[in-house]
Amino acid sequence: MRRLKLKLSARIGVVLVAIGLTLLCSISISAQKRKPFPSPGTNPPSPDTPSTTNANPRSFEQAQLEMSILMSRRTVATDRERERNRLAAQLVRDLGQLERLNTESLVPLSSSKTFDYKGVAQACNDVKSRANRIKFNSPIALTDRTGEKIRYEFDVSQFGPMLSQLSRSITKFVGNPVFRVSAPNDGELRSQAAHELERIIKLSDILAKAAKKLSKSLVASR
């Protein structure tokens, strides 16, 4: 009986092994029959897509930077040109106004037998204002290289001559060729213009202050 059980157990074991081997074979065969899933292919690059195979990854950023620098330089150049044109137009107006003040106010006032001190003060203040604006805003660099210092001390007896000198200085300054044409001696002309401009500023200032005081004294004496 015992031997029968052993034989039966052995047969069962063989059957189980056979079944196991069969299952393994069937799994292997079915795995071979199944086609593997195709690996996802790569789409061809679009014409608009930048290639990154051999390209510098910073090239696009560099191009943007270069373009922004270029545009900023053009903007700066345009702004500078616009400002230069504005200053040039202002210079023309100031020169014209100086000439008008000279011919319409200073010349008649200086040739009058009795001075209109109030009129002189107003005209000289206008002259000083225009002259200072030219000095600090002129698109043409004006530098006095004569080395001559300009100093004035007011004397009532010299009021008329000083007023005439202011008129002559304005005529000389406005008529300087540096404001109209380029010349080989441009540096010398600029120096002369700067020197004359400083004379105009000093004379107009001292005459305006003196005329104001004399006008008050004249009113008080009446």
Side-chain angles (χ1 to χ4, degrees):
M1 187 70 178
R2 186 176 181 181
R3 293 179 62 181
L4 180 63
K5 289 181 179 180
L6 289 174
K7 289 180 180 180
L8 183 61
S9 298
R11 289 179 181 178
I12 293 172
V14 171
V15 171
L16 291 176
V17 171
I19 293 172
L21 291 173
T22 303
L23 290 174
L24 287 175
C25 290
S26 62
I27 293 172
S28 176
I29 293 170
S30 63
Q32 290 178 359
K33 290 181 178 180
R34 285 200 304 263
K35 294 182 179 180
F37 292 102
S39 59
T42 56
N43 295 327
S46 172
D48 296 333
T49 304
S51 175
T52 57
T53 304
N54 298 319
N56 185 355
R58 295 185 60 192
S59 60
F60 181 68
E61 287 78 4
Q62 287 176 345
Q64 282 186 316
L65 178 61
E66 291 171 0
M67 179 59 69
S68 63
I69 293 174
L70 178 61
M71 294 306 297
S72 65
R73 286 178 179 174
R74 288 181 179 178
T75 302
V76 171
T78 302
D79 291 343
R80 287 178 180 175
E81 184 178 357
R82 188 181 298 110
E83 179 64 11
R84 192 182 301 112
N85 292 337
R86 185 189 70 80
L87 292 176
Q90 184 62 58
L91 175 61
V92 171
R93 288 193 295 269
D94 286 334
L95 290 173
Q97 183 66 7
L98 280 178
E99 189 172 23
R100 188 182 69 81
L101 286 168
N102 186 35
T103 57
E104 296 181 6
S105 299
L106 295 182
V107 171
L109 288 169
S110 62
S111 60
S112 176
K113 292 181 180 180
T114 57
F115 294 114
D116 177 7
Y117 294 118
K118 188 176 181 179
V120 170
Q122 180 63 47
C124 288
N125 278 325
D126 289 344
V127 167
K128 182 177 68 173
S129 177
R130 297 282 175 172
N132 274 315
R133 183 156 58 190
I134 293 173
K135 178 180 179 179
F136 295 109
N137 297 310
S138 172
I140 302 174
L142 301 176
T143 305
D144 186 357
R145 303 184 186 280
T146 62
E148 178 186 348
K149 298 295 182 181
I150 300 175
R151 294 187 180 90
Y152 291 103
E153 292 184 5
F154 180 71
D155 184 351
V156 177
S157 62
Q158 295 299 311
F159 188 86
M162 290 176 71
L163 194 58
S164 297
Q165 186 177 7
L166 175 60
S167 176
R168 291 193 299 270
S169 292
I170 292 175
T171 300
K172 186 176 180 180
F173 175 74
V174 174
N176 193 309
V178 77
F179 299 121
R180 292 184 296 278
V181 295
S182 298
N185 59 341
D186 187 70
E188 183 180 349
L189 292 174
R190 292 187 186 204
S191 177
Q192 292 173 1
H195 187 74
E196 213 61 52
L197 183 63
E198 193 64 27
R199 190 191 304 277
I200 291 171
I201 294 172
K202 295 287 181 63
L203 277 171
S204 60
D205 181 59
I206 195 171
L207 283 169
K209 292 177 179 177
K212 186 177 181 179
K213 290 181 179 180
L214 290 171
S215 178
K216 289 182 179 180
S217 300
L218 186 62
V219 171
S221 64
R222 290 177 180 177

